[in-house]
Amino acid sequence: MGFPKNFLWGGASAANQYEGAWNEDGKGPSIFDASTAGSVSQTRVYHDHIVEGQYYPNHNATDFYHHYKEDIAYLAEMGFKVFRLSIAWSRIFPHGDDEEPNEAGLRFYDNVFDECIKYGIEPLVTILHYETPLHLANEYNGWYSRKLIDFYYRFCEVIFERYKNKVKYWLTFNEINCIAIGNPYMAGACRVKDGLSVNQVTFQAAHHQFLASAKAVKLAHDKYPDFRMGMMLGGLFFYPNTCNPVDMLRFQEMNYQQFYFCDLQCRGYYNNHAKALLKKKGVSLQVEPGDDEILRNGTVDFISFSYYMTINASGEERPELKLAGSAIASPKNPYLEATDWGMSIDPQGLRYMLNELYDRYQKPLFIVENGLGAVDELTEDGKVHDNYRIDYLKRHIEVMREAVEEDGVDLMGYTSWGCIDCISAGTGEMKKRYGFVYVDRDDLGNGTMKRTRKDSFYWYKHVIETNGEEL
Ligand code: BG6
């Protein structure tokens, strides 16, 4: 049986980590354009303006903006059925709150989608992939402000109408739950200030994102019946560290915190767990009349998620275990190996997660990120021998097949992360690569941007050709 015939094989990217051209053709800065580079031991710093002389890795990223034809040809050569990308909000609305869109920005994505369609590649668009316009962060405190709902809605109206004949699959917010892992700036463009608690800012901003997402979904359902609207969950999936009941309870609590986001977007209301969580975190949500209805009327059609690792939940707080590039402080799982950036490698956890999500929501699933961040070497023969990446992906795809074939999970597709090398979101490094195509660029911004097919390129091409039969 294997994967369904129409299974969507492909790869994923995000405008801020890939496009570059941060200030070309009328584009305004996003919060990532003012974010410094970091490393596994040093967190990225988010400035509120562009500091003269400071190096910002996302400014040029890996220059998809000027290489899109070449890059999409590589994707087509691998046989991609789908390509996940985001539309940089500040390319369309440079400040985010502008009245009129920037035509040059709109034209760029027309060109990109036309190029995809030429090869029969379906675009899968993330409407907001962490790249809120910097002006909205500075002027309104980002998603903490309810005003962003309207700005986002205007952005959706424009891009839905413009690309209605080119794009069918949409994700409203990238990794919507990641706003609640300690730093609401990256996902919510909001700072913790005015004596507010981090939880108050985070969950209020998340409420505004739920409303914005629901309104976008409703707009799509009412006006564009062919659209398929998805949510996107950051794959923070937990194991209890031991069978000690305190670990078990912590595990359940951490899980509920992730499901909070799925519950809101799939079921459309604050259930008992959600209310309990808010109470425990001391959050008093500012809700307006009509919000309940908006949430109920804007539930998504499918659930997409990223999957990189599993995390051990421990009843003891261990902040010293937190790595700069990872989301959460967690004790090491002794049964699993880890990547150079400390992420556990756990293919079987993916089967657990696919089943868990499908069982809870009974909506089609889509894995829209997965992959191995590793240092690749361009060898003297002009090749990149990344058998470690092949091994990683192979083990995850095998498990996906088991979940589909043996467990009956409804899985729409798979887009591995960073299919052409791009900048890391967590650390801003270039040397943490995920792609099938190597890009000549280093951590200081040096390099020719020349593209080279890695060994994994040929391997993935064969996987797609055989619809996942031959790994
Ligand atoms: C996901 C994000 O969290 O993980 C991507 O949606 C990101 O934007 C990816 O790039 C991998 O993380 P990192 O930090 O290695 O780039």
Side-chain angles (χ1 to χ4, degrees), residues 266-287:
C266 295
R267 297 174 173 156
Y269 62 92
Y270 287 89
N271 63 20
N272 63 311
H273 293 306
K275 288 179 185 156
L277 183 84
L278 292 173
K279 192 167 167 203
K280 180 159 184 240
K281 291 195 177 278
V283 176
S284 117
L285 219 51
Q286 305 298 306
V287 176

Side-chain angles (χ1 to χ4, degrees), residues 74 378 382-384 436-439 450-454:
Y74 282 122
L378 185 61
K383 299 193 168 161
V384 178
F436 301 114
V437 174
Y438 181 91
V439 179
K450 182 175 178 298
R451 276 65 172 146
T452 302
R453 296 172 187 81
K454 303 181 193 177

Side-chain angles (χ1 to χ4, degrees), residues 14 17 84 129-130 174-175 178 232 306 308 325 343 369 373 417 422-427 432 434:
Q17 291 166 257
R84 176 178 175 226
H129 194 120
Y130 293 155
N174 183 59
E175 297 189 328
C178 287
M232 182 351 185
S306 57
Y308 293 95
M343 291 157 122
E369 283 187 37
W417 175 250
C422 62
I423 301 288
S424 152
T427 63
K432 188 183 191 188
Y434 289 85

